[in-house]
Amino acid sequence: MAQHFSLAACDVVGFDLDHTLCRYNLPESARLIYNSFAQFLVKEKGYDKELLTVTPEDWDFCCKGLALDLEDGNFIKLADNGTVLRASHGTKMLAPELLAEEYGRKEWKHFMPDSGMACRSGKYYFYDNYFDLPGALLCARVVDSLTKQNNGQKPFDFWKDIVAGIQHNYKMSAFKENCGIYFPEIKRDPGRYLHTCPESVKKWLRQLKNAGKILMLITSSHSDYCRLLCEYILGNDFEYLFDIVITNALKPGFFSHLPSQRPFRTLENDEEQEALPSLDKPGWYSQGNAVHLYELLKKMTGKPEPKVVYFGDSMHSDIFPACHYSNWETVLILEELRGDRDGKPEDSEPLEKKGKYEGPKAKPLNRLSKKWGSFFIDSVSGLENTEDSLVYTWSCKRISAYSTIAIPSIEAIAELPLDYKFTSFSSNNSKTAGYYPNPPLVLSNDGKLTTK
């Protein structure tokens, strides 16, 4: 792996949309996502009405990188070697003795040593991004409620109702049909939930384009929602910025599936049309696969191996598959780097927005959770008469394994020259080298970490 990375060396620059190019007002969007599921479970599936009431303290449960064991209702935080660092049953944290009894110091039963193990299976679910996290709080509270009703009997069988809630609120036709809670509310008041792109980011995108880079937008959002977001954050002429727009990309399958399994489709009035045998020219498409896309990029650049970099916020959908299957450079948008530096409100939130929608203060999802501790490291209690030791989390290990660099937002690099040389994550550099502009505070004492 190279020790440095520069945008100037890339031929193609690709972006995810949600939580990457488009930043959300996290406390507001989290509440909306939570409500979209809770209302469905209570009204359509007969769950306890208590689910509808969330206190500001409840949000502390949310922490990226947790796994939910769908059978026993336990949430777990994994160390880089697959052992369990902390666990809860529903929202109730397991005491150290119970944690030791339940999990010991052995690998979690579903763990696979390869850091790229699946994030979704019939047995567990990893909470990997800010769309997922409100669902973690909801599922934990569902487990609390069912535990009370069933006297703690297992297994739990609520996941099918969560999936039904996803289908109801977020299916492809939901935006057009105005159904569910989420899309109608975003349409009604986008300014409550979305941050517009700062002028520095718009200028940077134009700069990349003027430097001859091919710009791509690859999002799993459907075309109608993508258009609403882009017009709001970038302006009505946003399409001019991108040579290729791919919506409903169904990542990570976009990177991992064969062309025959996932062909590109054209769009007409946001309706998907016939499958294309190959991708012949730039434009706006739906679904698709990275193999056909790369063939088009070869044609457009005139190079046998054009160099691609992809910006994304999800390790599961963006970073791991783009790196592992397509061998692209990857830039991880990691808002925990923003929440990690201090306890102040987000610096980039416009003053006129502050206080406008606030009820009682809820913890922004990118801030440290008191229940779960750091997203990056945790301590393992030592044996008798030995000190506790710090270990990397599984989530942190994957950052250095699959990201070229990690940044808190695109804004953080928008004013740098395109030939700026970033120190990248690589086997030759320290584990913190690829974080820009600074490593997380908790990793600054790198020497004290161990890998048990």
Side-chain angles (χ1 to χ4, degrees):
M1 284 172 85
Q3 293 196 53
H4 291 97
F5 163 74
S6 162
L7 284 166
C10 298
D11 305 297
V12 184
V13 185
F15 300 93
D16 172 44
L17 179 57
D18 296 285
H19 301 287
T20 299
L21 261 182
C22 177
R23 282 190 53 231
Y24 285 74
N25 178 3
L26 292 179
E28 289 297 326
S29 62
R31 213 163 7 215
L32 177 60
I33 293 164
Y34 181 94
N35 286 338
S36 72
F37 284 105
Q39 300 270 5
F40 177 81
L41 290 185
V42 172
K43 289 177 180 169
E44 305 295 325
K45 299 292 180 182
Y47 280 73
D48 194 322
K49 283 191 178 66
E50 276 185 19
L51 291 177
L52 300 175
T53 311
V54 190
T55 69
E57 295 73 40
D58 289 335
W59 290 105
D60 182 62
F61 184 82
C62 294
C63 176
K64 259 200 238 169
L66 302 182
L68 165 59
D69 188 315
L70 297 174
E71 198 171 49
D72 62 21
N74 284 4
F75 286 79
I76 62 163
K77 178 184 181 183
L78 285 175
D80 60 356
N81 62 1
T83 55
V84 177
L85 292 165
R86 302 189 192 198
S88 72
H89 181 67
T91 63
K92 311 289 183 288
M93 300 305 290
L94 267 55
E97 318 76 66
L98 204 53
L99 183 72
E101 189 184 312
E102 188 108 355
Y103 297 105
R105 294 205 171 178
K106 57 187 188 296
E107 278 184 5
W108 180 49
K109 61 187 173 187
H110 300 304
F111 185 75
M112 287 175 270
D114 170 28
S115 296
M117 80 184 200
C119 274
R120 319 245 154 111
S121 89
K123 296 185 184 300
Y124 60 86
Y125 189 92
F126 269 98
Y127 290 90
D128 169 66
N129 62 66
Y130 295 127
F131 271 147
D132 280 350
L133 276 192
L137 174 58
L138 180 70
C139 288
R141 297 186 73 206
V142 165
V143 170
D144 289 347
S145 173
L146 294 177
T147 301
K148 215 187 293 179
Q149 287 170 32
N150 306 341
N151 296 324
Q153 275 183 327
K154 299 171 188 175
F156 290 89
D157 189 26
F158 61 86
W159 191 249
K160 63 184 187 310
D161 296 330
I162 299 292
V163 172
I166 295 171
Q167 180 59 15
H168 173 70
N169 280 288
Y170 302 96
K171 63 185 175 186
M172 220 160 104
S173 60
F175 186 95
K176 187 178 276 186
E177 292 167 9
N178 230 31
C179 72
I181 286 175
Y182 183 82
F183 290 125
E185 179 56 21
I186 295 272
K187 283 188 206 175
R188 189 188 67 76
D189 191 1
R192 180 170 187 158
Y193 302 100
L194 310 172
H195 293 303
T196 53
C197 274
E199 202 46 55
S200 61
V201 171
K202 295 180 195 175
K203 189 177 164 190
W204 178 76
L205 291 169
R206 291 193 293 269
Q207 196 184 349
L208 286 166
K209 204 163 172 56
N210 293 339
K213 311 297 179 195
I214 291 168
L215 264 57
M216 310 187 295
L217 188 60
I218 307 174
T219 173
S220 291
S221 289
H222 190 36
S223 54
D224 44 18
Y225 185 53
C226 169
R227 190 174 287 104
L228 177 142
L229 295 184
C230 288
E231 285 179 357
Y232 184 81
I233 67 166
L234 291 167
N236 293 341
D237 59 348
F238 77 91
E239 283 186 67
Y240 151 78
L241 288 169
F242 301 102
D243 300 279
I244 298 165
V245 176
I246 299 163
T247 51
N248 196 28
L250 303 168
K251 297 175 290 181
F254 180 85
F255 296 101
S256 60
H257 282 59
L258 298 170
S260 57
Q261 296 172 293
R262 193 65 68 72
F264 280 96
R265 295 177 181 275
T266 53
L267 284 160
E268 217 167 279
N269 299 323
D270 295 318
E271 297 290 336
E272 291 184 345
Q273 305 301 304
E274 76 284 354
L276 300 173
S278 63
L279 204 56
D280 298 324
K281 59 180 192 287
W284 190 315
Y285 300 96
S286 193
Q287 296 198 40
N289 62 86
V291 175
H292 278 169
L293 173 61
Y294 198 63
E295 289 304 312
L296 174 63
L297 297 175
K298 287 180 192 176
K299 234 192 283 186
M300 289 173 73
T301 58
K303 294 185 176 182
E305 291 187 2
K307 187 169 180 177
V308 185
V309 60
Y310 188 62
F311 288 70
D313 70 297
S314 167
M315 182 56 69
H316 167 68
S317 301
D318 301 319
I319 302 302
F320 169 72
C323 169
H324 181 75
Y325 296 106
S326 298
N327 204 25
W328 291 357
E329 300 284 359
T330 54
V331 178
L332 175 64
I333 304 294
L334 190 62
E335 289 206 35
E336 280 67 18
L337 292 174
R338 179 191 302 276
D340 168 83
R341 301 311 293 182
D342 53 40
K344 296 199 295 276
E346 293 203 321
D347 299 331
S348 61
E349 194 169 317
L351 280 173
E352 68 273 13
K353 262 195 177 171
K354 290 184 180 174
K356 192 172 169 187
Y357 306 112
E358 284 173 3
K361 283 277 189 200
K363 173 187 86 75
L365 299 187
N366 59 4
R367 289 288 151 72
L368 184 75
S369 159
K370 292 190 184 101
K371 279 192 167 174
W372 293 103
S374 170
F375 171 73
F376 302 97
I377 59 169
D378 215 329
S379 60
V380 172
S381 55
L383 301 168
E384 215 174 319
N385 303 324
T386 64
E387 282 184 26
D388 289 2
S389 53
L390 290 173
V391 296
Y392 290 105
T393 60
W394 181 66
S395 300
C396 186
K397 179 185 180 180
R398 300 175 86 221
I399 292 169
S400 55
Y402 298 111
S403 317
T404 306
I405 59 171
I407 59 177
S409 65
I410 290 173
E411 200 180 340
I413 64 166
E415 293 184 15
L416 296 173
L418 295 186
D419 60 359
Y420 182 89
K421 281 190 163 51
F422 294 93
T423 306
S424 52
F425 291 112
S426 79
S427 51
N428 305 323
N429 292 332
S430 82
K431 274 223 169 57
T432 57
Y435 293 104
Y436 179 90
N438 306 103
L441 283 173
V442 291
L443 296 187
S444 299
N445 300 328
D446 188 50
K448 293 182 183 170
L449 285 177
T450 179
T451 42
K452 280 199 158 191

